[in-house]
Amino acid sequence: SASWQTTPSSNSSTQSSAVQEKIKTFEPVLGVETEALIKRAFIFMADNDFDEAGRYFEQALRQAPENSQAYLGKLMAELKVHNTEELIKIAKPLKDEKLFQRALNFAKGDEKTQLESYVETQEQNFTEQKYIKALDYKVRIASSSDAQNVIKILASIVPYKDSETLIQELEQKKEELEALEKKYMNACVARRNVEKDAKPDIEEFNRVAEMFEALGDYKDSKSLAEELRRSGVERVEKTKKDKRDMIMLVIILMLLIIAVAGMYAYNKISEHSATKRAEQARIEAQRAKIEAEKQEEKSRIEALKLELQGQK
């Protein structure tokens, strides 16, 4: 069987430019053996000319439709990788690539074994990557959903390494986190209720603060507990102040009412006194008038008497 081609040696790389220039003059490539086409295609890939390499692999497949090496090379050109080491590291599974499937179908003996080893190696790499990813996520778990996501990753690689043991640990951690999340939600509901209370009770604020304190360092429980205790004191003090202000306002209003009533009564009394004085003055004036009239009448009578005496 033919040997698999990887990145050419340094000598081949040195000669690749000259060879490339000569080969590019043929369009299409005719009269060249399949093996030579494949070798030249790998030279083009070494020079990062993946388009030209793909053209040569395609020409090789026209001449030999069942050449597994040409299928593999064409896949490498499309993915722009230089060798099988890079090919194994691609993100997409090789077994899902159509060109790789054809290469595997047409490969024989050692070639087929080697292709199968690529799939196996890649799957091992994927498994290791998932394992490392799970370990990285594991140290940053903050919720039950985070724990569940890591469990799913580990479940996909069981029985790799200690994945089963890790899943058991995470299941327990997930249950603990679920319990904490439930207590946290209950504390948050209690917090909203106490903050909406029109008549806050400092004991109720402290009770809800204790609910958060029982959660330790979970999320922002500690800061919420401190905030609740501080808010409880502030709300109670504010309520007391509002009550004092209300009492003071009532007193002021009562004093204003008394003052207004006093002024009204004073005005009425003053008005009555003025009326009474005017009436008294009128009476006095009338009396003086009557008295004057009396005096005038008396004087007139005296004058008449004197006149009568003078006539006698």
Side-chain angles (χ1 to χ4, degrees), residues 53-99:
R55 190 175 73 86
Y56 270 75
F57 283 125
E58 183 61 33
Q59 181 65 24
L61 287 171
R62 290 196 188 103
Q63 295 179 186
E66 296 184 358
N67 188 296
S68 60
Q69 192 175 12
Y71 280 114
L72 183 66
K74 186 176 180 181
L75 173 62
M76 292 170 65
E78 288 184 0
L79 296 175
K80 292 181 171 52
V81 297
H82 301 88
N83 50 51
T84 53
E85 285 77 10
E86 293 179 10
L87 180 65
I88 294 171
K89 295 177 182 178
I90 65 170
K92 187 176 180 181
L94 286 173
K95 62 182 180 181
D96 294 338
E97 294 286 349
K98 188 174 182 179
L99 289 172

Side-chain angles (χ1 to χ4, degrees), residues 205-206 209-210 213 224-233:
F205 272 90
N206 291 336
E210 289 172 359
E213 288 170 346
L224 287 176
E226 293 174 353
E227 180 185 334
L228 277 162
R229 291 192 182 279
R230 183 172 58 254
S231 296
V233 173

Side-chain angles (χ1 to χ4, degrees), residues 183-202:
K183 291 178 180 178
Y184 182 81
M185 289 301 298
N186 291 337
C188 287
V189 171
R191 176 192 173 211
R192 286 195 295 269
N193 291 337
V194 75
E195 288 179 343
K196 290 179 181 178
D197 192 350
K199 297 180 179 179
D201 182 357
I202 192 169

Side-chain angles (χ1 to χ4, degrees), residues 141-247:
I141 289 175
S143 66
S144 59
S145 59
D146 291 343
Q148 182 59 39
N149 290 335
V150 180
I151 289 172
K152 287 182 180 179
I153 296 173
L154 291 170
S156 68
I157 62 173
V158 170
Y160 187 71
K161 292 186 177 179
D162 59 343
S163 56
E164 290 181 294
T165 302
L166 290 175
I167 288 174
Q168 292 176 359
E169 292 178 4
L170 289 169
E171 288 287 358
Q172 183 177 353
K173 186 174 183 63
K174 178 187 171 186
E175 292 178 2
E176 294 172 355
L177 287 170
E178 286 174 345
L180 282 173
E181 287 165 359
K182 185 176 181 180
K183 291 178 180 178
Y184 182 81
M185 289 301 298
N186 291 337
C188 287
V189 171
R191 176 192 173 211
R192 286 195 295 269
N193 291 337
V194 75
E195 288 179 343
K196 290 179 181 178
D197 192 350
K199 297 180 179 179
D201 182 357
I202 192 169
E203 293 301 326
E204 187 64 16
F205 272 90
N206 291 336
R207 184 187 69 81
V208 179
E210 289 172 359
M211 293 175 67
F212 281 109
E213 288 170 346
L215 298 175
D217 293 329
Y218 182 72
K219 290 188 176 180
D220 55 348
S221 297
K222 190 173 182 179
S223 61
L224 287 176
E226 293 174 353
E227 180 185 334
L228 277 162
R229 291 192 182 279
R230 183 172 58 254
S231 296
V233 173
E234 292 174 353
R235 287 281 298 277
V236 170
E237 289 300 321
K238 185 177 182 300
T239 301
K240 290 180 179 179
K241 182 179 180 298
D242 291 344
K243 187 176 181 180
R244 289 194 299 268
D245 292 346
M246 182 60 68
I247 293 172

Side-chain angles (χ1 to χ4, degrees), residues 113-131:
T113 301
Q114 193 171 18
L115 286 176
E116 290 172 344
S117 72
Y118 293 161
V119 173
E120 182 180 353
T121 300
Q122 190 188 50
E123 289 179 347
Q124 289 176 351
N125 290 342
F126 286 161
T127 300
E128 178 63 17
Q129 289 171 10
K130 286 183 178 180
Y131 181 78

